[in-house]
Amino acid sequence: MTTDQPLPDWEARFRAGRVGLPDWAEEAPERCAVVASAGGVLEVCSWEVGGELVQLTDRPEGTSSATVDPRGEFVWWFDDTAGDEHGVWRRQPFGAAPGEGVEDPLGLPAAYSAGLALGRSGLVVVGLTDEAWGTRVEVVEDAGGTPRARRLYEHREDAWVGDLSPDERWVALSHSERGDSRHPDLRVLAVADGAVVDELSDGPGKGVHPLAFAPVPGDPRLLVEHERAGRAELLVRDVLTGEETPVVLGVPGDVAGAEWTRDARALLVQVDHEARTLLHRVDLATGDVERVGPDAGTVGSVTARPDGDVWTTWSSAAEPPAVRTLSGEVLLRAPGPAAPPSVPVEDVWADGEGGRVHALLRRPPGAHGPLPTVVEVHGGPTAHDTDAFRAWASAFVDHGYAVVQVNYRGSTGYGSAWRDALEARVGHTELADVAAVADHLVATGVADPERLVLAGASWGGYLTLLGLGVQPQRWALGLAGVPVADYVAAYEDEMEGLKAFDRSLFGGSPAQVPDKYADSSPITHVDAVRAPVLVLAGENDPRCPLRQIENYLARLAARDVPHEVYRYDAGHGSLVDDERVRQVSAELDFTRRHLPAV
């Protein structure tokens, strides 16, 4: 887009360049794969440290999943159709021009991705999921010549490739053969013949996740995330002996991610606590724990370099993200103009029926309540809002609305019990917490009770539609992005991994527990909706498919409820700046027409 007029700040944030954490090659660490903005679209680039980004992919819908092989010869990226997430892994020579040298080196059928691990010899371990057969893990040898694939694992239930050991002897999987993909088990298989080397299960309601093998060939240690004490923690497990060493951090919060240092003597651990993600270094020999890096905001991702340096992505609500070293030096800036800054967040705590609910509040500078307030509910549900840069929230603040983001029961970062509490009554549990926060803001004079907007995307879109039906007196307006609207129809059409998630969440399929799905489905409560609602829907969305949204919209239309729908030709969101701006423009316009800020 070109214009002679300066862009408003809200639009400039959406059009500002974006860049992810570089993924570097083990044997050529100066060579990296990076997902970054290219002409207003997220694409895969190659990058030599200190040089310029070189665009590799050029797809109208953009490309967001990529890695580099250990030798630094090829960049691998996932190729789907218009954002439908169903496709194949392709590779491209490092530094090639857009579209140059692209090949399908695996020769496997198109499927949903269930993980990819690349060996130093050229061996590839790839996970695939499909409704026809569940999950398969294939080993492909000599991928540079004629691919020779052999089946390492197959099961009807959900599974994921966690990591491949540096010497290519073992592969670690998370799996849900017990039928609970929300709390998976761990299995280590021998790459040579698929023999089980190690297994770990902590039983019902307690998941274990393989994170990474120690980055030293022959080292049998695997870093594992568990929740034995009711929150996400770490242990190091010897996969040959089963010996475990707990990683004791001694700090509040849940583990959000962890990375070995390259000598395997220490760990870099991200910890979520009260919507901030900070970084800690753990010396495995002494047990000493040191907080490193920024002391506020959110460390989004981390990688430890062979020279001992550490790269991170960091942002706060007020400050846009960048790739930085631990000292705060900006290592890699996104292409193009930087995003304008925004307002900081304020912490809000409200008493809810299940305990104190944490939320993050943004207010227009100098504004005094009661304010029109957008109550945003995040997706996931296994996610949470953090003190991180959000162009969407900032857009509404710029237009005079307060925005509050609620970490309802179901959110991560507040312990296992808080995360799993929504299973008691899916949707209704989360909305009780959302209501508690809204009531608190009204009682404290922040929010205008007559001008409350319920908004969210994905699971947040689902909660928005459900909230409009079960709490119709609360909400003046709804903005539902890519929602679950008719849960039974959504289950029928969604990707296989989400079917497994839903069975875990509800305790069965719609055929097995029909009353639970009906109680939690927005279409069950659609006749109570009275607030105007805008629905955004992706034509190729495999997560919240279009048919079930159309079922819901037809019911609104039959009752003459004011509503609009914005359809776009992509999947569960868009990687294209023009499209993202069009969507937010539609939301802002709808909100201003039905509920002006002034």
Side-chain angles (χ1 to χ4, degrees):
M1 175 180 176
T2 59
T3 178
D4 294 331
Q5 299 296 322
L7 296 175
D9 281 354
W10 77 263
E11 183 174 346
R13 293 190 194 99
F14 278 96
R15 295 193 182 279
R18 292 177 284 166
V19 63
L21 187 72
D23 182 36
W24 51 272
E26 288 280 351
E27 296 181 1
E30 300 306 298
R31 290 190 160 198
C32 308
V34 181
V35 175
S37 297
V41 183
L42 278 183
E43 296 287 5
V44 179
C45 303
S46 58
W47 180 61
E48 292 207 45
V49 178
E52 299 295 324
L53 292 169
V54 177
Q55 183 181 346
L56 291 174
T57 58
D58 186 11
R59 305 195 310 148
E61 66 274 17
T63 317
S64 61
S65 297
T67 187
V68 64
D69 79 284
R71 298 176 181 175
E73 296 175 349
F74 295 98
V75 172
W76 290 68
W77 49 271
F78 192 73
D79 184 12
D80 64 356
T81 301
D84 68 359
E85 301 182 48
H86 193 267
V88 299
W89 284 98
R90 302 195 186 277
R91 74 176 188 185
Q92 199 168 349
F94 188 92
E100 180 183 10
V102 177
E103 57 182 348
D104 173 8
L106 303 180
L108 296 171
Y112 298 107
S113 176
L116 177 75
L118 305 176
R120 300 185 183 193
S121 72
L123 179 142
V124 178
V125 180
V126 60
L128 314 166
T129 66
D130 191 86
E131 185 172 357
W133 30 260
T135 305
R136 292 174 176 171
V137 176
E138 306 278 0
V139 175
V140 183
E141 298 174 276
D142 192 23
T146 301
R148 299 193 302 271
R150 55 183 172 84
R151 187 81 35 82
L152 191 69
Y153 175 90
E154 183 172 11
H155 199 277
R156 182 72 244 175
E157 293 290 345
D158 200 39
W160 186 266
V161 175
D163 195 25
L164 174 68
S165 63
D167 55 13
E168 302 177 11
R169 291 176 62 191
W170 312 301
V171 61
L173 310 176
S174 66
H175 71 85
S176 56
E177 292 179 8
R178 290 183 290 115
D180 185 0
S181 69
R182 283 168 50 80
H183 309 94
D185 297 334
L186 182 155
R187 182 171 297 162
V188 177
L189 301 177
V191 173
D193 57 9
V196 176
V197 176
D198 191 22
E199 291 201 82
L200 181 61
S201 172
D202 281 349
K206 294 183 178 181
V208 284
H209 303 262
L211 299 184
F213 283 102
V216 178
D219 191 329
R221 293 178 297 166
L222 177 67
L223 184 60
V224 177
E225 181 185 309
H226 66 92
E227 49 185 307
R228 295 172 182 174
R231 64 173 185 165
E233 297 180 312
L234 297 172
L235 61 85
V236 176
R237 183 176 174 92
D238 186 317
V239 302
L240 295 180
T241 68
E243 180 182 359
E244 294 180 355
T245 303
V247 178
V248 180
L249 296 173
V251 299
D254 286 21
V255 167
E259 172 94 358
W260 294 88
T261 58
R262 306 325 292 171
D263 58 10
R265 295 178 179 175
L267 301 173
L268 295 165
V269 184
Q270 296 160 262
V271 178
D272 285 336
H273 181 55
E274 296 184 353
R276 278 80 182 173
T277 307
L278 303 182
L279 187 63
H280 300 75
R281 186 183 188 279
V282 182
D283 187 304
L284 292 174
T286 66
D288 291 342
V289 178
E290 175 190 9
R291 199 190 56 71
V292 294
D295 58 6
T298 295
V299 176
S301 52
V302 179
T303 186
R305 298 277 292 164
D307 60 3
D309 199 4
V310 177
W311 295 350
T312 71
T313 56
W314 177 90
S315 75
S316 70
E319 298 178 66
V323 179
R324 304 170 187 266
T325 64
L326 280 187
S327 65
E329 175 189 358
V330 175
L331 174 75
L332 180 61
R333 294 188 184 277
S342 188
V343 298
V345 293
E346 307 167 43
D347 290 276
V348 173
W349 292 91
D351 292 328
E353 63 181 27
R356 296 179 74 214
V357 186
H358 190 202
L360 300 173
L361 175 66
R362 292 167 163 88
R363 289 194 253 196
H368 301 284
L371 297 168
T373 300
V374 178
V375 182
E376 186 190 8
V377 280
H378 65 73
T382 48
H384 69 284
D385 279 314
T386 62
D387 181 4
F389 200 72
R390 284 287 312 282
W392 190 94
S394 298
F396 279 85
V397 171
D398 285 0
H399 285 83
Y401 299 86
V403 177
V404 64
Q405 299 163 290
V406 183
N407 285 332
Y408 50 77
R409 280 172 292 169
S411 303
T412 54
Y414 299 87
S416 301
W418 189 264
R419 180 200 63 204
D420 292 344
L422 82 168
E423 294 175 2
R425 194 181 180 196
V426 176
H428 299 269
T429 299
E430 303 97 291
L431 287 169
D433 292 347
V434 171
V437 170
D439 288 347
H440 173 79
L441 293 178
V442 169
T444 55
V446 174
D448 182 343
E450 303 300 321
R451 294 188 292 170
L452 290 176
V453 180
L454 187 58
S458 191
W459 194 262
Y462 155 67
L463 291 177
T464 296
L465 294 185
L466 184 64
L468 296 179
V470 301
Q471 301 169 339
Q473 74 286 355
R474 288 188 171 276
W475 310 109
L477 197 70
L479 304 173
V482 288
V484 175
D486 176 349
Y487 222 128
V488 174
Y491 181 90
E492 292 170 352
D493 295 351
E494 69 192 5
M495 59 199 296
E496 177 58 32
L498 287 182
K499 284 185 168 70
F501 179 90
D502 286 339
R503 292 192 297 270
S504 297
L505 187 62
F506 286 94
S509 68
Q512 294 168 316
V513 287
D515 291 346
K516 287 188 175 182
Y517 281 85
D519 179 53
S520 296
S521 181
I523 203 168
T524 302
H525 309 279
V526 67
D527 288 344
V529 174
R530 65 189 190 191
V533 57
L534 171 67
V535 176
L536 294 88
E539 299 279 357
N540 309 306
D541 190 345
R543 298 174 180 267
C544 299
L546 188 59
R547 178 176 70 95
Q548 52 94 26
I549 294 175
E550 291 175 333
N551 294 346
Y552 184 90
L553 294 171
R555 293 282 297 274
L556 287 181
R559 294 183 52 241
D560 292 326
V561 176
H563 71 280
E564 295 177 17
V565 59
Y566 178 97
R567 303 171 191 259
Y568 60 94
D569 187 18
H572 198 63
S574 177
L575 305 177
V576 180
D577 291 349
D578 284 346
E579 177 56 45
R580 295 165 71 227
V581 168
R582 285 193 291 268
Q583 291 180 24
V584 178
S585 294
E587 292 176 296
L588 289 169
D589 177 66
F590 187 84
T591 304
R592 286 181 293 184
R593 282 190 282 114
H594 290 277
L595 198 70
V598 292

